[in-house]
Amino acid sequence: MVLLSALPASAQERSARADLGEADRARVADVTRPATDFSRPEPFEAMTAGAASFSGKPDHDAFRHPLPTLSLEDQHRFVLGKALFEKFWVSSPSSTQASDGLGPLFNARSCESCHQGGGRGRPPRDDGDATSMFLRLARPARTAQEEADIASLKQLNFPDATYGRQLQDQAVPGLAAEGHMAVTYGEETVTLSGGEVVRLQKPAYAITGLAYGALEAGTSLSPRMANPMIGMGLIEAIAPEDILALADPDDRNGDGISGKPSFVLDHRSHQRVLGRFGWKAENGTVRDQSASALAGDIGISSPDDPRHAGDCTAAEKACLALPNGVQARLGPVEAPPPVLDLITLYSESLAPPRRRNVADPQVLRGKQNFYAAGCTSCHQPKFVTQRDAANPAFAFHLIWPYSDFLLHDMGDGLADGQQVGLATGREWRTPPLWGLGLARTVNGHGFYLHDGRARSLEEAILWHGGEAEKAADAFKTMQPDDRRALITFLESL
């Protein structure tokens, strides 16, 4: 992990990588140069994560495999971390010591429940099951001090006084769940060149059955679908200088793209770091993302987020009165250091799968259209990870995540109205696209965007607005064969 405070202020925007010598800088610059020849694949393009790619069968388990570059010791730790990631926690007290502590209010009983197969979540099912998607709750700053706390990164935003930062739709026996997400859909239509009409479903969110009173005035609801897990350690190993070099918050080059970095405080060091994970880049490391999910989604405390009652608030007295799962012999939290360490190792070590059909003429044509539409302005194709990454398994790989990991204004259509740290209610982190073509294979569905409103890749593109509107317009005006080729390219990722 590189602390942003370690970089001079001027270097936080444009800086040569400190981990590379001159020869390596030239090599990296050459291999990450944008494509110009679309008649054939680029060198190493099929290897999504270089030597760290998974090259086995692209089946429903394609996102469950460890980086082949892991040491033998870390391969063993990966297996242990997988068991903890899939483990179902139970309520306290329980005879299964070191497995209790669930909730008391929660959204899921295991990490795997949301990230099934290491893949993405989905909108609520017809039976109401919303395990892999939840509602973030937050209100804006109300005072000068609260605004200062957000500006200084002490707070990302402010929780609802009763229901906290997240609606908990499940509870341990004897306690009422906070409420349940309700989604209704309207419809918008878009007409493409050639006369094709695409119907987009537009969701509206509410909460039914609030068990502890009304929401606080000003509390906003932001739906969040679980993100895929592949390649997270490689994302963390991207040099911050390379991400910051892509930022243009004032649009100085006039291209209409104003990506800006998210900065957050590291949970342990409390130092300023670059946000890379979460829909609004609210976490800077895989470990921080893991600790936040343990506490917020499952209600399990860890050294980095020691909330035994998870997201339970002072207003939910019955929740606070229930026993927790702390075992004195194991330490002061429910998931002691070995547990969090192993879950983090597993989460950061899931290998991106090798790409398919990279030399197919239709894929190459679609790739050219992807570039021509301006999609790469945000979906940056490739990086080379740091040579001095903390774990050698993640070091100096050419990776193809197709993201700049910056915040972008995506327009009114996708706005949730909820500020998260430096991200406004219209801004989202560019999601990586690697593994996109295996979404249906891994998870059995094709729901995309932060709330799963898009039922196809075509719909996902058409929802792009704000800084991405020009790219969406380019897609709309393409000839039908060119649009199909672009989708075929995305399905090869």
Side-chain angles (χ1 to χ4, degrees), residues 4 48 63 156 185 209 211 224 270 280 282 306 321 328 343 377 379 431 468 491 493:
L4 270 297
T48 308
F63 292 176
L156 295 176
Y185 292 99
R224 306 287 178 85
H270 303 292
K280 300 221 176 192
E282 62 266 29
I343 289 176
S377 295
H379 291 285
E491 290 172 343
L493 297 178

Side-chain angles (χ1 to χ4, degrees), residues 56-79:
K57 188 175 180 180
D59 58 15
H60 67 281
D61 286 325
F63 292 176
R64 291 180 181 268
H65 301 278
L67 301 178
T69 52
L70 287 180
S71 67
L72 183 60
E73 179 184 358
D74 277 348
Q75 290 177 39
H76 293 313
R77 296 177 68 227
F78 178 92
V79 174

Side-chain angles (χ1 to χ4, degrees), residues 120-423:
R120 68 187 59 235
R122 56 166 296 147
R125 300 176 186 269
D126 292 339
D127 62 5
D129 179 15
T131 301
S132 58
M133 189 169 115
F134 53 79
L135 289 175
R136 290 279 196 208
L137 310 176
R139 65 166 178 81
R142 292 175 179 161
T143 66
Q145 182 58 57
E146 288 183 345
E147 291 175 353
D149 286 345
I150 289 178
S152 65
L153 310 181
K154 292 179 181 178
Q155 295 283 348
L156 295 176
N157 51 33
F158 298 92
D160 183 84
T162 299
Y163 295 97
R165 299 187 180 279
Q166 188 165 312
L167 182 74
Q168 309 283 342
D169 61 358
Q170 300 186 61
V172 299
L175 187 68
E178 291 181 328
H180 299 279
M181 182 193 313
V183 190
T184 56
Y185 292 99
E187 187 175 273
E188 296 184 0
T189 60
V190 178
T191 301
L192 309 180
S193 67
E196 179 185 356
V197 176
V198 180
R199 290 176 170 81
L200 307 179
Q201 60 175 9
K202 184 176 183 179
Y205 296 91
I207 301 174
T208 61
L210 284 169
Y212 301 97
L215 290 172
E216 190 175 5
T219 293
S220 59
L221 313 180
S222 179
R224 306 287 178 85
M225 199 169 75
N227 272 306
M229 300 287 292
I230 55 171
M232 292 178 69
L234 294 165
I235 293 170
E236 189 172 333
I238 297 172
E241 298 95 331
D242 283 352
I243 295 175
L244 293 168
L246 301 171
D248 186 16
D250 300 319
D251 192 20
R252 293 178 181 176
N253 64 5
D255 66 353
I257 308 297
S258 304
K260 75 179 187 185
S262 169
F263 295 111
V264 295
L265 294 184
D266 179 77
H267 290 191
R268 289 184 291 172
S269 70
H270 303 292
Q271 296 292 310
R272 185 174 182 256
V273 297
L274 184 65
R276 303 170 190 244
F277 303 104
W279 283 104
K280 300 221 176 192
E282 62 266 29
N283 281 302
T285 65
V286 179
R287 184 182 176 98
D288 283 358
Q289 183 78 7
S290 300
S292 295
L294 276 172
D297 301 347
I298 308 176
I300 297 296
S301 58
S302 71
D304 295 16
D305 196 335
R307 293 178 288 164
H308 304 319
D311 194 43
C312 178
T313 69
E316 296 169 319
K317 300 187 187 314
C319 176
L320 293 176
L322 290 173
N324 59 56
V326 174
Q327 305 288 334
R329 63 187 177 83
L330 298 176
V333 292
E334 294 160 323
V339 173
L340 182 58
D341 292 346
L342 291 168
I343 289 176
T344 299
L345 186 279
Y346 174 77
S347 299
E348 66 188 11
S349 301
L350 290 164
R354 180 188 176 102
R355 272 188 63 194
R356 302 151 311 287
N357 307 319
V358 293
D360 183 277
Q362 183 80 342
V363 169
L364 291 169
R365 178 181 176 184
K367 177 183 174 183
Q368 183 172 13
N369 295 337
F370 186 82
Y371 272 71
C375 302
T376 57
S377 295
C378 300
H379 291 285
Q380 175 75 12
K382 48 191 169 173
F383 294 89
V384 172
T385 59
Q386 292 175 269
R387 185 177 276 287
D388 58 355
N391 187 329
F394 307 110
F396 214 53
H397 296 294
L398 173 62
I399 64 173
W400 305 69
Y402 281 89
S403 172
D404 60 8
F405 305 99
L406 298 172
L407 299 171
H408 292 276
D409 182 335
M410 294 299 291
D412 289 332
L414 293 178
D416 67 348
Q418 189 172 107
Q419 180 178 9
V420 180
L422 302 183

